[in-house]
Amino acid sequence: MMNIDNILKLVQSGDLDIAEAKRLLEEGLSGAHTAPAGRLETAVQAGRTPEQPAIDKTVKEASGETPMRRTASFLSLSEEAVDDSLGYAQLDLSRPARTGFPEVVYGESKSAEQIAAIFERLAAHTDRVLATRVDADKAAYVMQRIPGVKHHPEARALTWLRSGEAVPDGGSYIAVVCAGTSDVPVAEEAAVTAECLGSRVERVYDVGVAGIHRLFRRLPVIREASAVVVVAGMEGALASVLGGLVAVPVIAVPTSIGYGASFQGVAALLSMLNACAPGISVVNIDNGFGAGYNAALIHQNGTKRDET
């Protein structure tokens, strides 16, 4: 039988729904009852216990109601979990409850009006919104319509934080490393994504293998990170090099930078997939968002373990 602290932690993390938490608490306080036929009957099945009001209050307080909290009540796939009022989009309002992070807007093929409308709806239900692949004209429209939206030109991203505060300095972090200046836009997409999701980021740029001594100068910063995102085009060798130098997960991002035989990033992708060094995972070509998201998951789950 789990103790009350463990039950409340599961409710707060979203891994246990309210009804099941009540059942476990009632069993712990009242024990199991034996039915006439000899089978075990829980206190829920036998009827409410004298402790029920206190149980109801405790579970309700544990679940919380802040927008980003992974509340158990929000895990149900009910009508309230989806907002389809815009017609062209079905907004996944329960995603923070299931995954810890809100839905992200992919802006490449959406109009400025669509991005702004989705932004407004998501902002009403969460404390942060991120849109990727947003060009300057669309960004200008969204910022004019919604106060507090920030444009990150190199990353081609828009962010909005309810608190308006950046990730605080100090503490653990993610290292985003890129081979050359031409890779910076993809690296910035990874960095901005991780920062929007609540992780601190240290940027280490222009340290490709053509001048590998530049990388060695920054190794102390990279080695102290909780996870490393490595962004490289051409032959994509930087990921293999770093994979043999650090003791944390490496997320490799091939970019479409390079001459004809790079095949718009395919050469770097295959090189990273065939990396000799262990501990390397690879995302799609130019997918800085995917790498930043994965790194944030690694970083924040590691931070949670350290705090327990």
Side-chain angles (χ1 to χ4, degrees):
M1 173 63 65
M2 290 186 290
N3 63 36
I4 189 169
D5 289 337
N6 288 336
I7 292 173
L8 295 184
K9 285 179 181 179
L10 289 172
V11 172
Q12 289 173 328
S13 69
D15 295 323
L16 186 68
D17 64 30
I18 297 295
E20 183 66 9
K22 286 182 179 179
R23 184 186 70 77
L24 291 171
L25 285 168
E26 288 163 345
E27 284 184 346
L29 290 171
S30 302
H33 299 270
T34 304
R39 70 177 171 82
L40 285 176
E41 185 177 85
T42 66
V44 173
Q45 295 166 325
R48 291 173 64 83
T49 67
E51 299 88 353
Q52 188 67 43
I55 292 172
D56 291 343
K57 182 176 184 293
T58 301
V59 175
K60 182 177 180 181
E61 289 175 350
S63 66
E65 294 182 357
T66 56
M68 274 290 288
R69 187 181 289 253
R70 299 175 62 190
T71 58
S73 60
F74 213 20
L75 285 175
S76 62
L77 300 180
S78 63
E79 289 296 324
E80 291 76 19
V82 177
D83 180 353
D84 61 358
S85 58
L86 292 174
Y88 50 78
Q90 297 194 60
L91 306 185
D92 185 358
L93 303 182
S94 68
R95 191 168 302 186
R98 301 193 316 273
T99 69
F101 297 128
E103 184 172 15
V104 176
V105 184
Y106 180 72
E108 187 88 74
S109 301
K110 293 182 178 68
S111 68
E113 293 81 3
Q114 289 173 332
I115 296 171
I118 293 171
F119 235 84
E120 287 177 330
R121 299 299 175 88
L122 290 176
H125 295 278
T126 184
D127 62 3
R128 65 197 64 210
V129 185
L130 168 65
T132 64
R133 303 302 170 94
V134 180
D135 64 33
D137 291 339
K138 293 177 183 177
Y141 176 88
V142 177
M143 287 190 293
Q144 184 178 20
R145 179 165 161 177
I146 306 174
V149 174
K150 183 177 180 180
H151 182 215
H152 307 266
E154 278 194 304
R156 293 187 294 164
L158 291 173
T159 58
W160 174 87
L161 302 176
R162 186 178 300 279
S163 66
E165 298 175 358
V167 177
D169 292 333
S172 60
Y173 58 87
I174 295 163
V176 175
V177 184
C178 79
T181 307
S182 296
D183 301 307
V184 166
V186 177
E188 275 299 299
E189 184 179 61
V192 169
T193 297
E195 287 174 335
C196 184
L197 298 180
S199 292
R200 177 184 159 210
V201 174
E202 289 289 335
R203 292 161 170 82
V204 180
Y205 291 173
D206 196 24
V207 291
V209 297
I212 202 166
H213 58 291
R214 299 172 300 183
L215 174 65
F216 296 150
R217 293 175 62 246
R218 303 301 306 278
L219 271 181
V221 173
I222 300 170
R223 281 176 165 161
E224 290 298 317
S226 300
V228 180
V229 174
V230 182
V231 183
M234 301 290 189
E235 81 278 33
L238 183 59
S240 290
V241 171
L242 270 176
L245 294 173
V246 301
V248 295
V250 173
I251 304 166
V253 190
T255 71
S256 52
I257 300 302
Y259 295 102
S262 70
F263 298 107
Q264 293 77 52
V266 174
L269 172 65
L270 295 177
S271 176
M272 291 172 173
L273 288 171
N274 284 287
C276 183
I280 299 174
S281 59
V282 186
V283 298
N284 210 342
I285 299 168
D286 293 335
N287 187 13
F289 161 73
Y293 192 103
N294 286 345
L297 284 174
I298 293 168
H299 173 234
Q300 294 183 27
N301 277 289
T303 301
K304 288 177 186 176
R305 286 193 296 272
D306 291 341
E307 292 174 350
T308 56

